Amino acid sequence: MMKYIRYAFLLIFTCSLPLWAQLEKPDLVLEGTVTVAQNHTHFYIPFTVPSGVHRISVDFSYDHRREEKTVFNIGIHDPAGFRGQSGSNKDHFTIGPGDATPSYIPGSIPPGQWKFLISVSNIRPEITSKYRVEIRFNSPLEDASFTLDPLEINLRWYRGDLHMHTAHSDGFCGSQNEKHVPCPLFLTAQTATNRGLDFIAISDHNSIAHYAEMRELQPYFDKLLLIPGREMTTFYGHFNAFGVTQYIDYLVAEKNGRTIDEVVHDIQSMGGIASINHPMSPTGEACRGCGWTPPAPVDMSKFTGIEVVNSGRVMDAFWDQQLAKGLRLTAIGGSDNHDATKAEDQRGALAHPTTVVQAKELSVAGILDGVRAGHVFIDVTGSRNKLLEVEAITSAATAHMGDTLAARSGDDLRLHVHVVACAQDQVHMLVDEKTTGEPLPVRDDDQALDTRWMSDGARHWVRFVVLDAAGNTVLLGNPIYVNF
Ligand SMILES: [Zn+2]
Ligand SMILES: [Zn+2]
């Protein structure tokens, strides 16, 4: 009984804290009291920031606030001076290298003596108000995400676009006077919302400047997850980093430069994932470094994904080559949009293609985990409602897209395919790169199809694509990895 009461108390207590506060203990706590003697004064509370800090996050609270109308305004100074102030309108803020809570100034976090500012705007004569400042350094959650809480907790398929550019790199669109101008990031988020997406990764080239605006926009776009993205753009190929807001040295070069392996190692060590973009594009003067032409062998096993559909083009041969080597790399898609105002029927329009990820929640961690697991299909047409689900069943186990399955020689795999909004299309099964068996015609808007395949005990990957009557790929699913 006692145990139950304690558990219930713990539950109530922890639920009242923001998710963030439940995850990480503060590195510093500054506490004190304020009385009427300090009314209409400003005072600083000094604290020391050690070296090696790239992000500082602050939670502020005080009592006698609502009923007694106590009001404290807050701000912060680094050793060189002012880093922002938010009056009494924000109790939590974060300052990182490229992004900060609005009211605060992003940039590096110099070590040394910082000062937390309290301006006593109002306190009544009989009140003694206790305040508490919790300071956290290098919060992994705020390094990876612009929201502390998932936007939705629900196991389902979430639709998004993982590759696009804005004013912070080479995104351009028409101005009010129809001039060609850097295209505001806000328009990208608004267009993605209008097209029914659940998430976008804004992947401006090499910079971290776009994260400030993404942090500002995330509370407003509370149905559209904004994933920190970046296109690491090298002379020998492009790849996206997802889930990292810290700067990464992208200067890969044979002479006096870094290697691709070193850059990918940085992405992973900061909690992110890397995915190769448009590897089959040509490299030349028209598109410098667009194809995948590393000067030295690259450890492909450190990548999580490959962009198999870029803009409107399905390019799966490079991906298949990697799978043939025994690597598990999730096929994803990206519009590579460079103009948020581009109409939906034009090549490179936002949400074309859409990458559809099964995740347990709409958070950066949730979506990236879904990509890692390969629980992903690509909706090449950006349909908003098409669905492809695959289940493989042996006498011993069940696997879904992205899963591995052990199957001995002679084991029969029963394959269940579920497609939605694909009437009149055909489902093709590919084993390794090759079409296997007869295509399965789809008649209904919501249809379950069954087929079989017999294992020979060797390593294979089994995946499904949906083609329309003209033979165009409509949906592309990730494989079930047999004996990988
Ligand atoms: Zn690129
Ligand atoms: Zn790009």
Side-chain angles (χ1 to χ4, degrees), residues 28-345:
L28 289 175
V29 176
L30 314 172
E31 285 178 306
T33 56
V34 175
T35 66
V36 72
Q38 289 144 290
N39 200 16
H40 295 177
T41 66
H42 310 279
F43 65 94
Y44 291 106
I45 311 158
F47 63 96
T48 301
V49 174
S51 57
V53 173
H54 61 263
R55 176 179 297 283
I56 182 166
S57 303
V58 176
D59 282 273
F60 181 59
S61 59
Y62 54 101
D63 55 15
H64 300 293
R65 190 166 178 175
R66 285 189 176 81
E67 292 76 33
E68 289 91 351
K69 309 282 186 214
T70 307
V71 180
F72 299 156
N73 296 335
I74 60 169
I76 203 162
H77 288 235
D78 72 15
F82 180 72
R83 287 299 288 269
Q85 79 91 32
S86 54
S88 60
N89 58 65
K90 294 176 186 80
D91 299 327
H92 172 82
F93 65 85
T94 183
I95 302 175
D99 63 273
T101 303
S103 308
Y104 293 87
I105 302 164
S108 59
I109 304 296
Q113 195 177 84
W114 284 55
K115 295 184 292 187
F116 186 79
L117 167 68
I118 297 181
S119 300
V120 184
S121 185
N122 189 56
I123 186 162
R124 292 179 182 171
E126 71 279 11
I127 297 297
T128 297
S129 177
K130 277 191 224 158
Y131 65 80
R132 179 178 168 91
V133 187
E134 294 187 353
I135 297 169
R136 292 170 173 87
F137 299 131
N138 300 347
S139 157
L141 183 57
E142 296 209 289
D143 274 347
S145 172
F146 305 117
T147 173
L148 297 175
D149 299 306
L151 302 192
E152 181 182 330
I153 298 174
N154 194 5
L155 175 68
R156 67 172 177 93
W157 292 100
Y158 293 97
R159 313 181 85 87
D161 189 343
L162 290 167
H163 188 166
M164 64 200 66
H165 302 274
T166 74
H168 293 279
S169 60
D170 50 355
F172 285 87
C173 55
S175 71
Q176 291 180 318
N177 283 321
E178 296 179 15
K179 285 184 191 153
H180 188 61
V181 297
C183 201
L185 186 149
F186 175 85
L187 290 180
T188 292
Q190 189 61 61
T191 303
T193 295
N194 295 347
R195 294 190 184 159
L197 296 186
D198 300 305
F199 64 87
I200 53 171
I202 298 178
S203 54
D204 280 311
H205 295 282
N206 303 321
S207 184
I208 56 172
H210 47 307
Y211 299 147
E213 199 172 349
M214 291 173 78
R215 192 169 290 282
E216 179 187 344
L217 294 183
Q218 183 66 87
Y220 174 77
F221 288 97
D222 55 0
K223 291 181 173 179
L224 176 72
L225 181 72
L226 303 177
I227 298 174
R230 203 173 323 167
E231 187 166 16
M232 315 305 293
T233 308
T234 80
F235 304 134
Y236 319 104
H238 300 178
F239 49 100
N240 272 359
F242 299 115
V244 179
T245 56
Q246 291 182 69
Y247 174 73
I248 293 171
D249 180 356
Y250 61 92
L251 297 170
V252 172
E254 281 184 276
K255 275 187 210 157
N256 306 321
R258 306 191 83 201
T259 65
I260 289 173
D261 284 337
E262 286 170 336
V263 178
V264 174
H265 177 266
D266 282 358
I267 295 167
Q268 285 199 323
S269 66
M270 293 175 188
I273 62 172
S275 177
I276 296 175
N277 294 344
H278 46 70
M280 297 178 69
S281 290
T283 280
E285 288 188 335
C287 193
R288 285 90 50 208
C290 288
W292 187 249
T293 57
V298 167
D299 184 355
M300 297 294 289
S301 71
K302 297 292 189 287
F303 284 92
T304 301
I306 293 182
E307 193 180 60
V308 170
V309 185
N310 174 274
S311 203
R313 291 174 295 262
V314 179
M315 299 181 288
D316 54 10
F318 178 85
W319 176 52
D320 274 325
Q321 286 163 18
Q322 309 313 312
L323 301 181
K325 293 174 193 163
L327 293 163
R328 290 176 53 187
L329 292 160
T330 301
I332 62 173
S335 69
D336 211 349
N337 175 263
H338 283 72
D339 175 356
T341 67
K342 196 176 250 190
E344 276 200 87
D345 57 356

